[in-house]
Amino acid sequence: MRKKTKFEKRRSMAGYIFLSPWIFATLFLLIYPVIFSLMLSFGEIKNYVTYSVNFVGINNYREAFIVDDKFLPLLLTSISDMLINTPMILVFSLIVAIILNRKIKFRAGFRLIFFLPVLLGSGYIMQQLLGQNVQGDSLEFARGMLLPDNVQMYIGQTATKYITEFFSRITLIMWKSGVQIILALSGLQGISPSLYESSRIDGASEWEIFWKITLPMITPILLLNAVYTIISFAIEDNDLLNYVISVAFSDNRFEYSSALGWLYFVVVLLMIGIVFIILKPFIKRLNENS
């Protein structure tokens, strides 16, 4: 192997210099807290000044499953929401991406509209809107428009509840699909147009083109979207995370809070692993065909 020239060494050194803040942050601001949190979940703090920890085994984890009557219901609710929302977001983002990938009028404007929630979702304006319960008021207004009082009285409270939850779920799916639409759109644009042209010349229908060309070629992007969606729902503000934070900072039980956080992390990791297991055969088949 040839030796690196002085120019290549200088470029490598410049790269390490630019990466040094991220390397430092990863080593001291990420790895150490993660290791300490894992140790804390198996221990008990005896001195809050020096944060000396005594090993107590799996007592904190046992408490989460046996004693705590809030953690498991919140965890099951979070898992069910992920299992429902993730497939719906994947399907919705793929359908919208296919439509936006076609040559239609005002295509750039439609792309901006679907990506606009991503720009507003983490900003100060959205925090103020959520603080004033604008989302809840908009859902109440939509329910009043779609289901007037006489219709609600006719179909009953149970049907009204299910219909309201359905529209609330649809609103959430549309609001959370901006990044996934962009990723799916980039995957569709990476498919060679010659594949579609040759298949149409051979007489393939649009349904056959979707199942035999589009879906297999975009499977890696679907995997990326699935992982991104699961992680985004896991780290966003939800009842389970609020409970973990309240245990840590309201009850001053950092050990038990660490155990709850690691349990939640393992569950999310298992869900991502299940997604990999489901989509791996399709990616393997795509690689073999390519």
Side-chain angles (χ1 to χ4, degrees):
M1 297 179 63
R2 68 180 183 87
K3 295 182 179 181
K4 289 185 177 181
T5 62
K6 291 184 179 181
F7 177 74
E8 291 175 340
K9 290 181 179 180
R10 290 176 60 183
R11 289 189 60 183
S12 300
M13 184 59 65
Y16 286 121
I17 292 174
F18 283 111
L19 287 175
S20 58
W22 284 268
I23 296 175
F24 175 83
T26 303
L27 292 176
F28 296 97
L29 302 180
L30 179 62
I31 295 180
Y32 174 75
V34 168
I35 296 175
F36 183 76
S37 174
L38 182 60
M39 294 172 56
L40 196 62
S41 66
F42 290 99
E44 181 182 0
I45 300 177
K46 289 299 183 182
N47 189 343
Y48 281 91
V49 178
T50 60
Y51 278 94
S52 59
V53 181
N54 292 341
F55 181 75
V56 295
I58 60 173
N59 291 346
N60 294 322
Y61 294 94
R62 186 185 296 114
E63 180 181 352
F65 290 102
I66 298 176
V67 180
D68 196 342
D69 59 346
K70 296 181 179 179
F71 174 69
L72 279 180
L74 292 175
L75 180 62
L76 294 177
T77 302
S78 178
I79 294 174
S80 62
D81 287 340
M82 288 184 189
L83 293 177
I84 296 173
N85 293 332
T86 301
M88 294 181 66
I89 288 178
L90 293 180
V91 173
F92 176 77
S93 60
L94 181 59
I95 293 175
V96 174
I98 292 175
I99 296 174
L100 295 179
N101 194 41
R102 298 179 179 273
K103 294 181 179 180
I104 58 176
K105 293 183 177 180
F106 309 108
R107 182 171 59 177
F110 288 124
R111 292 179 180 179
L112 178 61
I113 290 173
F114 281 105
F115 192 71
L116 193 60
V118 180
L119 302 177
L120 298 177
S122 58
Y124 177 78
I125 297 176
M126 182 51 57
Q127 293 178 2
Q128 296 300 316
L129 291 176
L130 293 178
Q132 297 176 11
N133 198 26
V134 173
Q135 184 179 10
D137 294 340
S138 62
L139 290 175
E140 289 293 332
F141 176 75
R143 185 178 68 176
M145 293 292 294
L146 297 172
L147 299 174
D149 293 337
N150 55 351
V151 176
Q152 295 182 27
M153 293 177 58
Y154 179 76
I155 64 178
Q157 295 182 354
T158 303
T160 302
K161 177 183 177 182
Y162 285 124
I163 294 174
T164 303
E165 291 179 352
F166 172 77
F167 283 108
S168 177
R169 183 80 62 176
I170 294 299
T171 304
L172 178 66
I173 298 304
M174 295 179 64
W175 191 262
K176 299 295 183 181
S177 299
V179 175
Q180 292 86 337
I181 292 173
I182 298 299
L183 293 175
L185 186 60
S186 65
L188 291 173
Q189 292 175 350
I191 302 176
S192 176
S194 61
L195 296 175
Y196 293 113
E197 294 175 0
S198 59
S199 61
R200 290 189 178 94
I201 292 174
D202 292 337
S205 63
E206 294 295 328
W207 186 252
E208 292 174 338
I209 291 174
F210 172 77
W211 282 104
K212 295 183 179 180
I213 297 179
T214 303
L215 188 60
M217 296 291 290
I218 206 174
T219 301
I221 300 297
L222 292 179
L223 176 60
L224 177 61
N225 277 343
V227 174
Y228 175 83
T229 304
I230 293 174
I231 294 177
S232 63
F233 276 107
I235 64 177
E236 285 183 348
D237 186 24
N238 57 50
D239 293 335
L240 179 56
L241 288 182
N242 291 334
Y243 176 66
V244 174
I245 294 173
S246 66
V247 169
F249 296 100
S250 298
D251 302 337
N252 291 326
R253 300 191 61 192
F254 297 101
E255 314 94 318
Y256 184 56
S257 176
S258 298
L260 298 181
W262 276 100
L263 287 173
Y264 189 38
F265 172 75
V266 170
V267 170
V268 173
L269 203 63
L270 288 176
M271 295 184 65
I272 294 176
I274 293 173
V275 172
F276 269 93
I277 293 174
I278 294 175
L279 296 180
K280 185 178 179 180
F282 296 96
I283 299 177
K284 184 178 179 181
R285 189 182 306 171
L286 175 62
N287 294 331
E288 291 176 352
N289 294 334
S290 59

